[in-house]
Amino acid sequence: MKKILISIICSIMLFSVVFGQQKSLPDHFDINDVNDFDRLVMNPYSRNLDYAGTVMEGLSILTPAVLYAAPTEDYWKIGVEYAETVALAYGIKELCKLCVSRARPYMYFEGYPENKITEGDWDDSFISGHTTLSFAAASLTSFLFCQYFPESQWKVPVCITAFSLAGATAVLRLSSGNHFMTDVICGAVLGTGIGILVPWLNSLWIKPSYKNENFQMFFSPASFSVQFKF
């Protein structure tokens, strides 16, 4: 029942964006309408920093590659957990953007990108998707690396590197004018939680339903896996 429920929830979140509608653009934006905390760090749009943030997100999402050092027989398990983590993080951040209409910080400054208006991206500030996915990958990498190599001298460097890349992504999303502080803070908390929750739940629930020397069949919370050996 848990596997079916989680699969349904993930599917709803992944496709919820289909039902979203573009909001009408207000005549003007008043910076005084922004809460005091978020107003402390607001920046106009920077295309270079925007691109840099996307590149940093890509590097963050690739951090689980360090788990190549794990036993080869666990590659399928790590791959499934990685896919579940990314899917859940992506689905929830899209659901947040659908449910919460919030203009991006750059809309409160002159020179905001006109193409963002056309694309309907101007009011998708909450939640920071780049930050959510980056921290999800960082926490997944850290959790699994510590699980597989609890005595490794590389444990601390791997965790620091993974979260540094995620943190840099969050900073760039702020400095590029794409997000407020609350957007990236919520994204960081959400992503970290997902990156830890998915492998932890899998470690509790995953169990073989059929196994012999050359064929194994496994169920996990949101997946069904078959492994062949030749």
Side-chain angles (χ1 to χ4, degrees):
M1 178 62 68
K2 292 180 180 178
K3 295 188 290 290
I4 296 175
L5 178 60
I6 292 179
S7 297
I8 292 174
I9 293 174
C10 289
S11 298
I12 292 174
M13 289 187 297
L14 283 172
F15 294 99
S16 62
V17 69
V18 174
F19 301 99
Q21 295 182 355
Q22 183 174 342
K23 311 298 187 301
S24 58
L25 183 67
D27 295 331
H28 70 282
F29 293 88
D30 187 351
I31 197 171
N32 293 316
D33 293 335
V34 179
N35 66 78
D36 294 338
F37 179 74
D38 282 326
R39 201 186 309 156
L40 293 173
V41 183
M42 290 180 62
N43 295 290
Y45 181 73
S46 170
R47 185 175 61 178
N48 291 336
L49 293 177
D50 189 2
Y51 290 161
T54 299
V55 171
M56 197 62 65
E57 178 200 26
L59 294 175
S60 296
I61 292 176
L62 292 176
T63 53
V66 72
L67 297 170
Y68 180 77
T72 55
E73 60 268 22
D74 284 350
Y75 283 180
W76 70 270
K77 174 180 175 292
I78 294 172
V80 168
E81 291 178 352
Y82 176 74
E84 290 174 344
T85 299
V86 172
L88 190 59
Y90 183 87
I92 293 180
K93 70 98 174 173
E94 286 295 331
L95 186 61
C96 288
K97 290 180 181 295
L98 171 65
C99 297
V100 180
S101 177
R102 189 183 199 188
R104 295 186 184 272
Y106 58 62
M107 295 301 298
Y108 294 87
F109 299 89
E110 295 182 357
Y112 55 79
E114 294 291 342
N115 63 305
K116 301 292 185 179
I117 307 300
T118 305
E119 297 168 2
D121 185 63
W122 63 272
D123 68 336
D124 286 339
S125 188
F126 189 86
I127 190 171
S128 174
H130 286 64
T131 304
T132 301
L133 290 168
S134 296
F135 273 87
S139 57
L140 175 71
T141 300
S142 301
F143 184 93
L144 291 180
F145 193 89
C146 292
Q147 185 180 67
Y148 279 105
F149 310 105
E151 305 299 328
S152 174
Q153 62 179 351
W154 291 101
K155 183 170 60 175
V156 172
V158 165
C159 295
I160 291 177
T161 300
F163 278 101
S164 294
L165 289 172
T169 301
V171 170
L172 286 168
R173 297 305 286 171
L174 276 172
S175 56
S176 64
N178 279 285
H179 289 289
F180 295 99
M181 280 288 293
T182 48
D183 299 334
V184 297
I185 290 174
C186 291
V189 172
L190 175 62
T192 300
I194 292 172
I196 294 174
L197 183 65
V198 169
W200 179 70
L201 288 179
N202 273 291
S203 68
L204 293 179
W205 299 345
I206 193 167
K207 58 183 180 180
S209 59
Y210 178 79
K211 179 178 181 180
N212 63 29
E213 183 178 352
N214 299 314
F215 176 80
Q216 299 179 48
M217 185 182 300
F218 288 84
F219 290 98
S220 68
S223 67
F224 168 79
S225 303
V226 177
Q227 181 179 14
F228 293 93
K229 293 184 179 180
F230 298 96

